Amino acid sequence: MKNIYLNLKRFDIPRELGGINDTALNESYAKTIVSGIEKMNLDIPITIYFQESNLFPALSEAKKIHIGCQSVHYQDVSVGGNFGAFTTSRTAKSMKAIGVNDCLIGHCEERNHLNYLTSLNGGSYDINLILNKEVKCAADLGMNVLYCIGEKMEEQVHKYEVLKNQLLVGLKDVDLSKVTIAYEPVWAIGPGKTPPDKEYIEDIVKHIKSVVPCNVVYGGGLKIDNAKMLASIDELDGGLIALTRFGKDFGFYLSDFEEIVKTYKEGLK
């Protein structure tokens, strides 16, 4: 079964504050997105990842759509142990308690953040060890995890080893039945960058599935112009959408989202 994932990042911030939200009231943003997609009747499983400020209104509107959070803390509460002293951090159990059953972990932006923090003392650290703890916290609670991996430009020469390490370290001792892999070619993400072609993606997906027995979706941006190509890759199990429009009016638009999913479904036929 093919699946579509939607990562809305901090798209709740209005344009006048530097964001890309055109909804008049931030409070209604999540409801607008979820109810709008529900009405589309796209007949394909869709998971939307929100920041914590959007989770409650999103959950109140969701019927067919799965609602997920963007990562969790690498520790959690325990009976007779830590009672919840995780100020500023979103734990897996706190998300589970409000009805969230899906989680996005290891996105390239999260990886960049962790790499920055671990490099402040001048050293280096395999941040996949941290991500592994996050994945375990979520998967052990039965949450569905979309685990993102991908190589940077300077890592392309040994991309297979980079991806294998992200998989084996990040998913060590994890129940893989709860995990889907999102492949992000970090070197190709962003305006003006050239995305990988069909052959490149096919090769990477086969490599990933040779390392771990998980579904794999394209996390480098499912868009209108690549939807049919991605749908034609039999080994690929779906895609991840964030921005739907680039250039002067860049942002996320519901009408674009509907067109992307419809185009993707046409490519499956």
Side-chain angles (χ1 to χ4, degrees):
M1 178 181 291
K2 307 293 184 177
N3 291 267
I4 300 296
Y5 299 86
L6 174 59
N7 180 26
L8 289 176
K9 304 183 183 181
R10 278 295 188 184
F11 293 178
D12 53 324
I13 302 172
R15 291 190 183 272
E16 58 267 26
L17 293 179
I20 59 171
N21 180 14
D22 291 314
T23 304
L25 297 174
N26 275 346
E27 186 179 355
S28 68
Y29 178 71
K31 289 184 177 181
T32 300
I33 299 300
V34 175
S35 61
I37 294 176
E38 291 270 17
K39 291 175 183 176
M40 292 176 185
N41 294 317
L42 294 170
D43 191 30
I44 191 168
I46 295 171
T47 301
I48 309 178
Y49 299 100
F50 286 103
Q51 290 283 351
E52 62 272 22
S53 61
N54 301 119
L55 287 171
F56 285 112
L59 285 167
S60 69
E61 291 294 309
K63 298 177 181 66
K64 301 177 183 178
I65 294 174
H66 287 201
I67 300 299
C69 60
Q70 297 169 357
S71 195
V72 292
H73 192 49
Y74 57 84
Q75 292 179 298
D76 215 323
V77 302
S78 61
V79 178
N82 195 318
F83 61 88
F86 303 114
T87 300
T88 79
S89 298
R90 177 199 307 111
T91 69
K93 287 183 178 178
S94 69
M95 293 296 94
K96 190 74 172 179
I98 65 172
V100 175
N101 293 306
D102 294 78
C103 185
L104 174 72
I105 294 176
H107 188 280
C108 63
E109 294 169 2
E110 180 183 12
R111 288 179 178 273
N112 288 340
H113 174 64
L114 290 175
N115 278 320
Y116 170 72
L117 293 178
T118 57
S119 69
L120 288 177
N121 65 353
S124 61
Y125 186 80
D126 187 350
I127 56 107
N128 294 293
L129 294 167
I130 300 174
L131 295 173
N132 176 247
K133 293 179 180 293
E134 295 180 5
V135 174
K136 282 182 180 177
C137 282
D140 286 351
L141 286 178
M143 297 179 76
N144 301 307
V145 176
L146 185 63
Y147 179 61
C148 302
I149 66 169
E151 77 279 14
K152 298 179 181 178
M153 178 65 75
E154 65 273 18
E155 296 173 328
Q156 274 193 286
V157 292
H158 51 97
K159 58 182 181 291
Y160 300 117
E161 290 81 6
V162 169
L163 297 175
K164 185 175 182 179
N165 182 69
Q166 292 175 349
L167 290 166
L168 294 183
V169 177
L171 297 178
K172 183 180 179 182
D173 299 326
V174 170
D175 178 3
L176 295 181
S177 70
K178 308 304 297 183
V179 178
T180 296
I181 307 298
Y183 168 61
E184 293 183 285
V186 183
W187 53 271
I189 296 176
K193 303 265 183 85
T194 302
D197 59 20
K198 179 178 179 179
E199 290 70 28
Y200 191 100
I201 297 171
E202 281 181 324
D203 179 59
I204 293 296
V205 173
K206 289 177 182 177
H207 173 66
I208 293 172
K209 290 191 173 185
S210 74
V211 178
V212 292
C214 295
N215 284 350
V216 180
V217 302
Y218 183 67
L222 174 58
K223 301 181 283 287
I224 292 176
D225 57 3
N226 68 6
K228 285 189 177 180
M229 179 272 284
L230 293 173
S232 71
I233 301 176
D234 292 335
E235 297 87 354
L236 201 59
D237 302 296
L240 176 63
I241 300 171
L243 292 170
T244 62
R245 199 175 302 179
F246 298 84
K248 185 174 65 175
D249 58 346
F250 79 101
F252 174 80
Y253 297 84
L254 271 174
S255 58
D256 294 343
F257 178 86
E258 182 176 21
E259 189 64 27
I260 291 170
V261 177
K262 285 184 176 179
T263 303
Y264 180 81
K265 290 176 64 178
E266 290 172 2
L268 294 174
K269 299 175 182 178

